[in-house]
Amino acid sequence: MAAARVRSGGRPTLEEVAARAGVGRGTASRVINGSPRVSAQTREAVEAAVAELGYVPNRAARALAGNRTDAIALVVPESETRFFAEPYFSDIVRGVGAALADTEMQLLLTLAGNDRERRRLAQYLTAHRVDGVLLVSVHADDPLPDLLEQLGMPSVISGRRHAAETLPSVDSDNFEGARAAVDHFISRGRRTIATITGRLDVYGAQRRLDGYRKAVASAGLDPDERLIAPADFSEEGGARAMRELLARRPDVDAVFAASDVMAAGARHVLRESGRRIPDDVALIGFDDSAVARHMDPPLTSVRQPIEEMGRVMASVLLQEIAHRSEGRTEERPRIVLPTELVVRESS
Amino acid sequence: MAAARVRSGGRPTLEEVAARAGVGRGTASRVINGSPRVSAQTREAVEAAVAELGYVPNRAARALAGNRTDAIALVVPESETRFFAEPYFSDIVRGVGAALADTEMQLLLTLAGNDRERRRLAQYLTAHRVDGVLLVSVHADDPLPDLLEQLGMPSVISGRRHAAETLPSVDSDNFEGARAAVDHFISRGRRTIATITGRLDVYGAQRRLDGYRKAVASAGLDPDERLIAPADFSEEGGARAMRELLARRPDVDAVFAASDVMAAGARHVLRESGRRIPDDVALIGFDDSAVARHMDPPLTSVRQPIEEMGRVMASVLLQEIAHRSEGRTEERPRIVLPTELVVRESS
DNA sequence: ACACTTCTTGGGAGCGCTCCCAACCCTACG
DNA sequence: CGTAGGGTTGGGAGCGCTCCCAAGAAGTGT
């Protein structure tokens, strides 16, 4: 074995596999890449040679000759700290990883929290070091998506930047999630239902508000604008919004917060004001994060299928890449995954 | 610009840069790789051409020609869940990232929690898809380190597998950390000092126990073996060990737990038994994790410089890789970073 | 002025693979 | 029996780069 290794000068090459199988290089390549234009007999011979030699294709050579990299990037415009802190990302990574598990595709995790990293990243992508890009947690004014589109780089975005998103996207059903939350309040007899919104320049936050409005209107409730308090997804913002709400409509009996973290802020203020949850005011959040489960009382929340979003994003991207190289184009799938209301004690 | 791009058929190549600068391909290559054997004048011309053309070297071609990949792997033998849950890993990643920041080196994060992933990983590494490997959180019986050594793959391990670690390693000073904890107890008048150990087949856990023993002996205290309770780094294990300790030596007045999580378990049991912390029993943990800061009372703990460990590991690995390709070898650095006692209310 | 160095430089060879064309085989059909 | 057409096959060309050798330029000592 050692001798053979020395003789062949290291790892076996395609050429060696071909020689061993008694075929030409081209044929061996065809077998390894699963081309159908090979006879069964030849295929077997090559496969045997591959097994005996323990052949593994040289990635660099493949990339160079085939003008691809077999790698995709998951671009996260956050610092390491946030990346590790938010369970959202770990779920996405898990989903993406699952979708890629039996693929040759390699996942590159690229965090770009500061400007320096973002510049490096842009260079990376323009240099075509990956075959495609998964974009998560994109801010509305991020130039990256447009850059990618311009470059013709296959990309998939989680969520959307706006209603007319041009990139293929995978989103959860924010509208229906919000509506379900409000309907749940209504079915339990709540009548003065307020909402605390996220930053409305984030499309998802807008949709949650739309869902709230729709549900309120459908139920024939009073669509009082004073029941809508804008915030910014932060705990402090949630608290502030809740205070406004209480000042404007002290008779509020239910609050739908567009994130669990904001719900936590709201809870704090409600407690301070002497109101009991859910007896006096019912509360629902969004995300179904760890925060929701550990809140006191446990928070009813709208769950997004984040891991599945990761899985779907990856498979959409793989398709995009395949289509692109086949010349096909212009499909731009937009996938919306269902959300689910997880009922706990707060409502 | 667009016309030029079309004419050159895509991204500029080295050849094009060379032509533009009026030099040969070899010379251009030398400039780009920072070889000193180039005249200042030529260097400038090439650098100008690079800037004008926006040249970025093709990684695949480099890898193929140079027989390297410019990538290293951080191998974590854990599932995504644990990887994201433990702040340890995020600190390591941050440190490694910092050390690699102004390098061309790319970091590949490879989680290998289950057997399937481990097999894929082994294949990956044998196929020389990376220039080097960083190993963290290695279990004592993991075959990977030996495999890597056999392959001659540059590697650095965090911690050690045993006293006679053969791989280059970066560890924190577990011995001194433990000793400092116990000395702190002693300086505050504690006399019946117990310890809850981690899994003793983990070298670091063994060293912490050694440090405890040494400190106890140096102080001339009674080295009662009943004051040593083995556990497994888990919260439940810490609780169990604490119960044993209390049963054997109800007069214990200080406990050094070899991890914060075990300290949390111990705290629980101490409370149940009606003992106050630190009044009746003082408590110290290890890791200085978030758990320590948020415990009630805040836990005194031995801090390991984890981010720095990551940084050092990366730079040691880069050196190993450089040495390897220069033919130099056999240095096997073993670096031990100092730990630090962070005193809070529990002691 | 001549023989040597030392410094620079150009470009051939080759890394391992995919793409693709031409050659080959066999079968089917007129 | 000749030929067209389909299925297979071999291997040349070339991807963009690094390595390295040989050759030219410039400088040194005698």
Side-chain angles (χ1 to χ4, degrees):
Chain A
M1 301 274 276
R5 233 190 253 148
V6 169
R7 189 146 46 86
S8 74
R11 313 166 43 199
T13 69
L14 226 210
E15 198 92 38
E16 289 169 351
V17 169
R20 175 103 180 197
V23 303
R25 182 170 26 83
T27 304
S29 174
R30 258 165 247 136
V31 171
I32 284 159
N33 292 293
S35 156
R37 344 205 99 280
V38 185
S39 71
Q41 192 186 342
T42 307
R43 162 163 289 116
E44 269 174 40
V46 173
E47 280 166 353
V50 166
E52 286 165 32
L53 262 31
Y55 171 75
V56 182
N58 179 313
R59 206 186 190 100
R62 262 194 167 160
L64 183 56
N67 196 35
R68 56 188 175 129
T69 62
D70 289 335
I72 64 175
L74 174 64
V75 174
V76 183
E78 305 285 352
S79 67
E80 274 104 347
T81 311
R82 279 209 59 198
F83 177 72
F84 281 98
E86 304 221 6
Y88 178 85
F89 296 117
S90 97
D91 286 349
I92 287 278
V93 170
R94 190 176 298 121
V96 171
L100 260 37
D102 28 40
T103 309
E104 277 296 84
M105 208 50 91
Q106 180 169 90
L107 179 63
L108 263 40
L109 250 177
T110 43
L111 306 185
N114 59 48
D115 264 9
R116 176 143 172 274
E117 293 173 340
R118 297 175 79 79
R119 253 191 301 282
R120 260 185 69 136
L121 174 63
Q123 203 197 37
Y124 221 86
L125 300 179
T126 38
H128 286 280
R129 294 259 179 83
V130 290
D131 294 340
V133 175
L134 296 173
L135 250 23
V136 302
S137 181
V138 177
H139 300 299
D141 56 343
D142 194 319
L144 202 53
D146 291 326
L147 173 65
L148 290 170
E149 192 147 32
Q150 225 173 281
L151 289 169
M153 167 79 68
S155 319
V156 177
I157 194 170
S158 78
R160 307 184 188 182
R161 288 167 296 164
H162 41 250
E165 178 59 62
T166 46
L167 250 33
S169 66
V170 176
D171 203 354
S172 63
D173 197 337
N174 292 297
F175 181 86
E176 280 304 329
R179 194 151 82 155
V182 176
D183 284 349
H184 172 79
F185 281 147
I186 293 170
S187 75
R188 301 235 169 155
R190 308 287 172 168
R191 284 294 171 271
T192 311
I193 304 171
T195 187
I196 298 175
T197 78
R199 291 179 41 184
L200 291 178
D201 59 339
V202 174
Y203 183 72
Q206 182 63 56
R207 292 297 288 161
R208 290 173 199 175
L209 175 55
D210 293 345
Y212 161 85
R213 283 208 161 102
K214 172 79 176 186
V216 167
S218 302
L221 298 180
D222 170 28
D224 185 349
E225 285 295 315
R226 290 175 304 165
L227 286 171
I228 299 174
D232 58 358
F233 287 123
S234 75
E235 180 160 357
E236 179 45 34
R240 207 178 307 124
M242 191 67 238
R243 271 185 222 107
E244 291 170 21
L245 247 19
L246 252 23
R248 297 199 292 241
R249 292 289 303 257
D251 59 326
V252 62
D253 64 4
V255 177
F256 165 59
S259 83
D260 288 346
V261 172
M262 291 196 297
R267 185 202 78 113
H268 205 70
V269 171
L270 286 170
R271 277 281 166 84
E272 276 180 2
S273 79
R275 287 170 172 80
R276 289 163 307 166
I277 300 172
D279 311 56
D280 300 322
V281 178
L283 188 60
I284 296 185
F286 209 106
D287 291 340
D288 190 34
S289 57
V291 175
R293 283 186 293 282
H294 294 140
M295 202 180 287
D296 172 31
L299 182 70
T300 294
S301 186
V302 180
R303 193 182 92 84
Q304 306 188 69
I306 301 180
E307 185 171 338
E308 197 189 341
M309 286 178 67
R311 204 158 35 228
V312 172
M313 285 179 74
S315 60
V316 169
L317 183 60
L318 292 181
Q319 278 177 41
E320 289 285 305
I321 292 171
H323 288 182
R324 195 70 48 112
S325 65
E326 284 167 17
R328 237 189 306 173
T329 177
E330 305 310 330
E331 299 201 9
R332 324 257 103 177
R334 301 219 201 127
I335 295 175
V336 176
L337 266 23
T339 48
E340 176 197 358
L341 187 68
V342 179
V343 180
R344 300 204 179 79
E345 278 95 276
S346 73
S347 67
Chain B
M1 298 270 277
R5 231 189 252 149
V6 168
R7 188 146 48 83
S8 73
R11 313 166 42 197
T13 68
L14 224 211
E15 198 91 39
E16 289 168 352
V17 170
R20 174 103 179 198
V23 303
R25 183 172 23 83
T27 304
S29 174
R30 257 166 246 135
V31 171
I32 284 160
N33 293 292
S35 155
R37 343 205 102 279
V38 184
S39 72
Q41 191 185 345
T42 307
R43 161 164 288 115
E44 267 174 43
V46 174
E47 279 166 353
V50 166
E52 286 166 32
L53 262 31
Y55 171 76
V56 182
N58 179 312
R59 207 185 187 99
R62 263 194 165 157
L64 183 57
N67 195 34
R68 57 189 175 128
T69 63
D70 289 335
I72 64 174
L74 174 63
V75 174
V76 184
E78 305 284 353
S79 66
E80 273 103 348
T81 312
R82 279 209 58 198
F83 177 72
F84 281 98
E86 304 221 6
Y88 177 85
F89 297 116
S90 98
D91 286 350
I92 286 279
V93 169
R94 189 176 298 121
V96 171
L100 260 36
D102 28 40
T103 309
E104 276 297 83
M105 209 52 90
Q106 180 168 88
L107 179 63
L108 263 39
L109 250 176
T110 43
L111 306 185
N114 59 49
D115 265 10
R116 177 143 171 276
E117 293 173 340
R118 297 176 81 79
R119 254 191 300 283
R120 261 185 68 136
L121 174 62
Q123 204 197 35
Y124 222 87
L125 300 178
T126 38
H128 286 280
R129 293 261 181 81
V130 291
D131 294 341
V133 175
L134 296 173
L135 250 24
V136 303
S137 180
V138 178
H139 300 298
D141 56 343
D142 195 319
L144 201 55
D146 291 326
L147 173 66
L148 289 170
E149 191 147 34
Q150 225 173 280
L151 288 169
M153 167 78 68
S155 319
V156 177
I157 194 169
S158 79
R160 307 183 186 182
R161 289 168 294 165
H162 41 249
E165 179 58 62
T166 47
L167 249 34
S169 66
V170 176
D171 202 353
S172 64
D173 198 337
N174 291 297
F175 182 88
E176 280 303 331
R179 192 149 84 156
V182 176
D183 284 349
H184 173 78
F185 281 147
I186 292 169
S187 75
R188 302 236 170 154
R190 308 287 172 166
R191 284 294 171 269
T192 311
I193 303 170
T195 187
I196 298 175
T197 79
R199 291 180 40 184
L200 291 178
D201 59 340
V202 174
Y203 182 72
Q206 181 64 56
R207 292 297 288 160
R208 290 173 200 176
L209 176 55
D210 294 346
Y212 161 85
R213 282 207 162 102
K214 173 80 178 187
V216 167
S218 303
L221 298 181
D222 171 28
D224 186 350
E225 286 294 314
R226 289 175 305 165
L227 286 170
I228 299 174
D232 57 0
F233 285 122
S234 76
E235 179 160 0
E236 180 44 37
R240 207 177 309 123
M242 191 67 239
R243 272 185 221 107
E244 290 170 22
L245 246 21
L246 251 25
R248 295 199 295 243
R249 292 288 303 256
D251 59 326
V252 60
D253 65 3
V255 178
F256 165 58
S259 83
D260 288 346
V261 172
M262 293 196 295
R267 184 201 78 114
H268 205 71
V269 171
L270 287 169
R271 278 281 165 83
E272 277 180 1
S273 79
R275 288 170 172 82
R276 287 164 307 168
I277 301 172
D279 311 56
D280 301 320
V281 179
L283 187 60
I284 296 185
F286 209 106
D287 291 341
D288 189 33
S289 56
V291 174
R293 283 186 293 281
H294 294 140
M295 202 179 289
D296 171 31
L299 183 70
T300 294
S301 185
V302 180
R303 193 182 92 85
Q304 307 188 69
I306 300 180
E307 185 171 337
E308 196 188 342
M309 284 178 67
R311 204 158 35 229
V312 172
M313 283 179 74
S315 61
V316 169
L317 183 60
L318 293 180
Q319 278 177 41
E320 288 285 305
I321 292 171
H323 288 183
R324 195 69 48 109
S325 65
E326 284 167 17
R328 235 189 306 172
T329 177
E330 306 308 331
E331 299 202 6
R332 327 258 101 176
R334 302 220 200 127
I335 295 175
V336 175
L337 265 24
T339 47
E340 176 196 358
L341 187 68
V342 180
V343 179
R344 299 205 180 80
E345 279 96 275
S346 73
S347 66

